[in-house]
Amino acid sequence: MKYTGQCDPPLGPVNDPVKIGNVLRPVADVDAAMRFYIETFGLAMKFVDGDRYAALDAGGTTLALAGPTEDVTGGMPAASFKVPNVNSALGALVQGGGAIVRELEQGAHEVRAVARDPWGNTVVIYGPR
């Protein structure tokens, strides 16, 4: 998939606000990281996909542990925004001064892209397949 440069339908203040779907944390060992966050902070497991990915409930926020095969950010922690249309969200991001780092791609469970906001912070934008 490739970003088309279109923001259709446009995102903006007239639409419902987008929420952070998770905070992505790349880890070398998903199982060890899961044990650490569960035992240290008492987080509850929501979803595990082998050694690739785990989602933990962090009190209303999902902590997403991404193993090496799912590390789309090059080791950078990132807020992940779940949107109804990834292409439109990328259009709004670029129009707002952000930049695409990793083009649209099919993930194991979603469509996603990696971008940076105008200040260089990494964000993941993802949505339904």
Side-chain angles (χ1 to χ4, degrees):
M1 299 184 96
K2 189 159 179 75
Y3 167 61
T4 64
Q6 302 294 319
C7 183
D8 184 28
L11 294 176
V14 295
N15 294 340
D16 292 333
V18 171
K19 297 180 181 173
I20 292 178
N22 65 64
V23 176
L24 180 73
R25 181 53 138 174
V27 296
D29 183 330
V30 170
D31 188 55
M34 239 183 357
R35 280 194 316 271
F36 172 81
Y37 286 103
I38 290 170
E39 293 171 7
T40 303
F41 299 110
L43 303 186
M45 186 179 348
K46 293 174 72 172
F47 174 79
V48 178
D49 188 357
D51 62 354
R52 297 174 56 242
Y53 179 88
L56 303 176
D57 183 352
T61 300
T62 298
L63 177 62
L65 304 172
T69 60
E70 282 296 306
D71 177 9
V72 296
T73 63
M76 299 298 298
S80 298
F81 293 91
K82 185 174 185 178
V83 300
N85 184 310
V86 176
N87 202 52
S88 290
L90 287 175
L93 179 129
V94 170
Q95 288 174 5
I100 298 170
V101 173
R102 190 166 166 160
E103 293 286 344
L104 275 168
E105 62 187 22
Q106 292 287 333
H109 305 282
E110 75 284 321
V111 175
R112 65 186 176 209
V114 179
R116 288 206 177 89
D117 67 18
W119 304 273
N121 299 300
T122 301
V123 295
V124 176
I125 299 171
Y126 73 103
R129 292 180 115 177

